[in-house]
Amino acid sequence: MVTIKTTKGDIKLELFEKEAPITVKNFLSYVKSGFYKGTIFHRVIPNFMIQGGGMDENFMQKETAAPIKNEATNQISNKRGTIAMARTQIVDSATSQFFINVVDNDFLDFKAPVPQYYGYCVFGKVVEGMDVADAIVSVPTTAKGMHRDVPQENIVILDVVEE
């Protein structure tokens, strides 16, 4: 269990260590190092998800560890309240950024072992604080440079702590 402490409240997560061991180990290494302190939810899209864990309040990308293997083949669906790793178009590119699904996003699930259908690895679920995720996703957004869907007010991750 971990708790994401934000300026909007706390989100408590149960992690799926057995189903996504590489991903959970990676996430916990960032948690234990204090990496997430001062990062923001930088991408917020209603009826989709909230994404954070990689940029500071000045929108500067933080230095990360090497990317990890995508464990989306674990067949855990991107349902409302699940947390998954964000990545680029490259299947095995996830580092520190994560997103919480605020609706069922089955289209993000693993479908086939090819890049366009590989999906996004779910590695846990919200057990308390989904109301906080809903509050975050309802914040008005804007664009900042090349980034879209940026909350107009900074939603800061104060800390992520292991329970």
Side-chain angles (χ1 to χ4, degrees), residues 57-72:
E57 289 187 69
N58 298 315
F59 236 72
M60 297 299 295
Q61 187 90 27
K62 289 186 75 172
E63 188 74 31
T64 63
I68 59 168
K69 172 138 184 53
N70 187 332
E71 295 176 294

Side-chain angles (χ1 to χ4, degrees), residues 1-60:
M1 298 281 233
V2 299
T3 300
I4 302 171
K5 296 175 177 290
T6 80
T7 49
K8 290 279 189 201
D10 293 354
I11 302 170
K12 190 173 193 175
L13 305 168
E14 173 189 342
L15 302 180
F16 302 149
E17 202 164 2
K18 189 173 125 194
E19 298 84 353
I22 296 166
T23 308
V24 169
K25 182 180 178 187
N26 175 69
F27 181 73
L28 288 175
S29 73
Y30 285 110
V31 169
K32 290 172 183 166
S33 74
F35 178 90
Y36 291 119
K37 283 181 190 168
T39 60
I40 58 170
F41 279 96
H42 65 275
R43 188 168 174 241
V44 170
I45 304 174
N47 299 309
F48 184 32
M49 58 89 223
I50 59 174
Q51 181 175 334
M55 296 188 184
D56 67 18
E57 289 187 69
N58 298 315
F59 236 72
M60 297 299 295

Side-chain angles (χ1 to χ4, degrees), residues 42 63 77 85 99 102 105 121 131 147:
H42 65 275
E63 188 74 31
S77 186
M85 291 307 293
F99 62 92
V102 296
N105 289 314
C121 177
D131 58 325
H147 301 281

